[in-house]
């Protein structure tokens, strides 16, 4: 069976734990290496990752390119607007053709149905580099970052503030798989996907939704936010106004535990979802989080190839 990574549930909790452990080990094993040097075991030598981008990216593109390189393989970048995909070739035909050239396909797209269609017709692993629905690779990196900063995942109390978006959906999915809890503080009308919440609750996670930002943040071990306006959405004035009470500033951070960690997947819109004082403050681990996209993705790739 081809191993696709469209959502975290495709891997499941045990595989995610294996990925996190592998990422920690691989990261430690290459301390002091130049970034372009391959890991000693070059587990993906001879393998090429094709990467299709229908939306902009800094971290996902750069970290996947370096991830496959450090595993001994190569990457191929394809901007969808320069592909025949951009002028109407079907996703199914694109999947069939690319499967003859590359060993795995990563895609960043809008409608999640597109990645499902790609995976259905590809004979190589397909990896979700973000859709409007979810961003599973980001959450593997986020969990790695929390573990590195001393947090045990089971029972962890995570506060999410702001928009109910793709990153939150994957965080909710992870809560069910890794047994942590989330207090979601989002304004009315901007809730995250009800299906992910239902599954996470059925898996034993305590997921609460509140309109009160202070209630979400109170006593939390981790505070997380993301842009209020995701790619493809309008920077509507009424949305910004609705989000303002959920801005993560020093006052809101002070309601969390004194040891609380602050995460943001980036890019940040400084002064909107979080203030400079929080983003650059002592509780912020956003640069480690960004670095960990690289380490997490190496383990995701190894899982897709059946090596984890
Ligand atoms: N966090 C994240 O996915 O960043 P990019 O949009 O730069 O890839
Ligand atoms: N929610 C954001 C994440 C960017 C990495 C977006 O979809 O634009």
């Amino acid at each position: 069976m081809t191993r696709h990574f469209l959502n975290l549930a495709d891997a499941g909790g045990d595989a995610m734990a294996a990925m996190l452990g592998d990422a920690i080990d691989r990261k430690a094993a290459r301390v002091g290496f130049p970034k372009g040097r391959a890991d000693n075991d070059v587990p993906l030598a001879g393998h090429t990752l094709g990467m299709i981008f229908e939306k902009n990216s800094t971290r996902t593109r750069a970290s996947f390119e370096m991830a496959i390189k450090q595993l001994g393989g190569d990457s191929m970048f394809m901007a969808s607007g320069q592909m025949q995909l951009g002028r109407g070739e079907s996703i199914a035909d694109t999947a069939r053709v690319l499967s003859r050239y590359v060993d795995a396909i990563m895609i960043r797209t809008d409608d999640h149905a597109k990645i499902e269609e790609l995976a259905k017709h590809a004979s190589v692993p397909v990896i979700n580099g973000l859709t409007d629905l979810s961003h599973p690779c980001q959450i593997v990196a986020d969990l790695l970052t929390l573990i590195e900063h001393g947090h045990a995942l089971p029972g962890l109390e995570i506060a999410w503030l702001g928009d109910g978006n793709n990153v939150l959906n994957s965080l909710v999915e992870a809560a069910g798989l890794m047994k942590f809890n989330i207090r979601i503080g989002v304004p009315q009308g901007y809730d995250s996907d009800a299906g992910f919440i239902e599954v996470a609750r059925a898996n034993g996670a305590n997921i609460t939704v509140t309109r009160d930002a202070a209630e979400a943040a109170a006593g939390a071990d981790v505070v997380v936010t993301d842009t209020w306006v995701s790619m493809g959405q309008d920077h509507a004035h009424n949305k910004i106004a609705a989000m303002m009470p959920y801005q993560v500033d020093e006052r809101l951070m002070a309601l969390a535990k004194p040891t609380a960690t602050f995460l943001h997947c980036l890019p940040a819109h400084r002064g909107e979802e979080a203030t400079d004082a929080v983003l650059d403050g002592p509780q912020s681990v956003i640069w480690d989080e960004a670095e960990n996209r690289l380490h997490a993705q190496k383990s995701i790739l190894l899982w897709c190839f059946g090596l984890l």
Side-chain angles (χ1 to χ4, degrees), residues 150-161:
H151 297 286
L153 298 182
L156 203 61
E157 295 289 332
I158 299 186
W160 174 280
L161 278 310

Side-chain angles (χ1 to χ4, degrees), residues 55-200:
K55 291 175 172 177
N56 292 12
S57 172
T58 296
R59 280 145 289 270
T60 303
R61 177 184 176 175
S63 59
F64 262 114
E65 281 195 20
M66 293 309 291
I68 187 86
K69 186 181 173 85
Q70 290 186 1
L71 295 170
D74 287 311
S75 59
M76 180 194 293
F77 172 78
M78 292 165 279
S80 64
Q82 293 164 13
M83 299 171 70
Q84 298 293 8
L85 189 61
R87 50 182 291 277
E89 186 169 18
S90 76
I91 291 171
D93 288 354
T94 303
R96 293 179 182 111
V97 170
L98 290 180
S99 295
R100 303 291 181 106
Y101 299 135
V102 299
D103 301 290
I105 302 167
M106 189 241 79
I107 182 168
R108 168 167 284 194
T109 187
D110 40 31
D111 186 355
H112 195 79
K114 288 190 187 174
I115 197 171
E116 289 175 339
E117 173 80 354
L118 191 79
K120 185 174 163 195
H121 296 283
S123 56
V124 299
V126 171
I127 299 172
N128 180 355
L130 180 146
T131 67
D132 290 348
L133 183 70
S134 59
H135 197 4
C137 294
Q138 179 68 52
I139 297 305
V140 181
D142 289 6
L143 300 186
L144 175 59
T145 309
L146 292 178
I147 292 168
E148 276 185 353
H149 284 273
H151 297 286
L153 298 182
L156 203 61
E157 295 289 332
I158 299 186
W160 174 280
L161 278 310
D163 190 28
N165 66 14
N166 44 7
V167 176
L168 175 57
N169 287 335
S170 290
L171 185 66
V172 167
E173 193 181 27
L177 296 171
M178 308 308 282
K179 312 301 174 202
F180 57 85
N181 306 314
I182 310 180
R183 304 95 166 275
I184 302 174
V186 301
Q188 187 86 44
Y190 299 98
D191 283 317
S192 60
D193 185 88
F196 280 103
I197 292 180
E198 194 180 322
V199 172

Side-chain angles (χ1 to χ4, degrees), residues 45 75 95 102 104 149 155 165-166 173 181 227 229 235 240 246 250 273 294 302:
S75 59
V102 299
H149 284 273
N165 66 14
N166 44 7
E173 193 181 27
N181 306 314
T227 181
V229 183
H235 201 272
I240 302 301
Y246 302 82
E250 288 173 294
E273 70 272 9
L294 164 64
L302 291 174

Side-chain angles (χ1 to χ4, degrees), residues 239-284:
K239 183 170 187 184
I240 302 301
M243 294 288 161
M244 266 323 284
Y246 302 82
Q247 182 186 68
V248 182
D249 57 11
E250 288 173 294
R251 182 197 56 81
L252 203 65
M253 273 309 287
L255 299 176
K257 285 196 181 138
T259 52
T261 298
F262 173 76
L263 293 178
H264 188 312
C265 67
L266 304 176
H269 299 73
R270 289 170 175 267
E272 289 195 2
E273 70 272 9
T275 59
D276 286 343
V278 171
L279 287 158
D280 302 325
Q283 289 163 280
S284 171

